[in-house]
Amino acid sequence: MQEPGKVVLITGASSGIGAATARRLAADGHRVFLGARRDERLETLCGEIGSAGGTAAFRRLDVTSAADLRAFVEAARTTYGRVDVVVNNAGVMPLSPLAALKTDEWDRMIDVNVRGVLHGIAAGLPVMRAQGGGHFITVASVGAYEVSPTAAVYCATKFAVRAISEGLRQESGGDIRVSLVSPGVTESELADHITDPAARDAMTRYRAVALPASAIADAIAFAVAQPPEVDVNEIVVRPARSAQ
């Protein structure tokens, strides 16, 4: 890999897949710029990466704010001089049956999972166009391909980002690479915010077999590492012992 590596922006980087991806890409020699609402966790993570010999910086980020994401991208460009990869990873998953009418949670999923991705594209695309290239990686889910009870709205948001990713790929003209990485059950904090008791119990059983977050980080690193003429468009990663 050519030094000093790529400049990689990661949303939702304070835990789970985002944090694992930051560690993996920094270990590969890339310069990572991390965003999340829990900036104290980001500070700790950047310290860990620095102690291991990597390069990392952070800015507090709320992906539901288009202005905040524009400022995040601009801060990364100010820090490192360019923006090579944007990893749209931030997401929420408060599952519940539609009949529970948890409309606030539906709105939250739409705001974070869909608008957050659109805001990332809107902030990063002009920069990538101006510099002649770049790479968007969106973390979706196997829920982008199938629907299950209690997950209708969550799956709808992941179907949406799959469509957005494919549309961006078709419009990119080859200068900007576009990847969708869809994890199956993965160790993360996503299920911690499920408020519906039945959905929470079902998810506990569903997550009995789970991938480590590092497995998804490896998939993202694979897409990042490809030469400019190779565009890895979709990767689905499931636990080997899972039927889902």
Side-chain angles (χ1 to χ4, degrees):
M1 184 185 64
Q2 294 181 351
E3 294 295 338
K6 296 177 180 177
V7 175
V8 184
L9 284 59
I10 305 171
T11 71
S14 61
S15 65
I17 291 170
T21 299
R23 293 187 180 97
R24 169 60 197 270
L25 294 181
D28 286 350
H30 301 296
R31 295 165 288 171
V32 297
F33 195 82
L34 312 179
R37 290 182 301 159
R38 296 176 294 188
D39 51 354
E40 71 286 351
R41 288 198 180 188
L42 297 178
E43 184 174 13
T44 299
L45 179 56
C46 286
E48 292 174 3
I49 290 171
S51 296
T55 301
F58 74 93
R59 184 184 189 278
R60 189 184 187 282
L61 172 65
D62 179 357
V63 299
T64 67
S65 166
D68 209 20
L69 245 164
R70 286 194 299 270
F72 175 70
V73 169
E74 186 56 36
R77 188 164 61 161
T78 298
T79 301
Y80 294 133
R82 60 184 293 111
V83 172
D84 295 306
V85 184
V86 172
V87 180
N88 284 311
N89 167 70
V92 294
M93 190 185 69
L95 305 182
S96 65
L98 290 171
L101 302 180
K102 292 182 178 288
T103 56
D104 289 347
E105 293 183 357
W106 300 349
D107 289 343
R108 180 66 179 164
M109 282 188 278
I110 292 167
D111 286 343
V112 175
N113 298 357
V114 181
R115 290 194 175 94
V117 170
L118 289 171
H119 293 162
I121 293 170
L125 190 56
V127 176
M128 293 181 186
R129 289 287 191 205
Q131 67 191 18
H135 191 178
F136 285 100
I137 300 176
T138 297
V139 177
S141 165
V142 293
Y145 301 86
E146 59 192 30
V147 182
S148 56
T150 75
V153 178
Y154 176 74
C155 292
T157 66
K158 296 304 182 177
F159 269 72
V161 298
R162 182 182 171 204
I164 291 164
S165 183
E166 174 60 11
L168 180 61
R169 183 195 69 79
Q170 293 182 20
E171 296 175 7
S172 70
D175 295 330
I176 296 172
R177 299 192 295 172
V178 181
S179 302
L180 187 78
V181 177
S182 296
V185 182
T186 303
E187 295 172 356
S188 74
E189 297 179 357
L190 275 179
D192 294 351
H193 305 291
I194 297 175
T195 61
D196 182 84
R200 185 171 59 246
D201 291 345
M203 183 53 58
T204 299
R205 295 189 296 272
Y206 183 77
R207 296 171 71 86
V209 178
L211 292 165
S214 60
I216 312 306
D218 290 344
I220 292 170
F222 173 79
V224 170
Q226 299 310 298
E229 67 273 16
V230 177
D231 191 2
V232 177
N233 300 135
E234 295 190 40
I235 303 176
V236 179
V237 186
R238 291 182 174 93
R241 292 190 291 138
S242 173
Q244 300 297 327

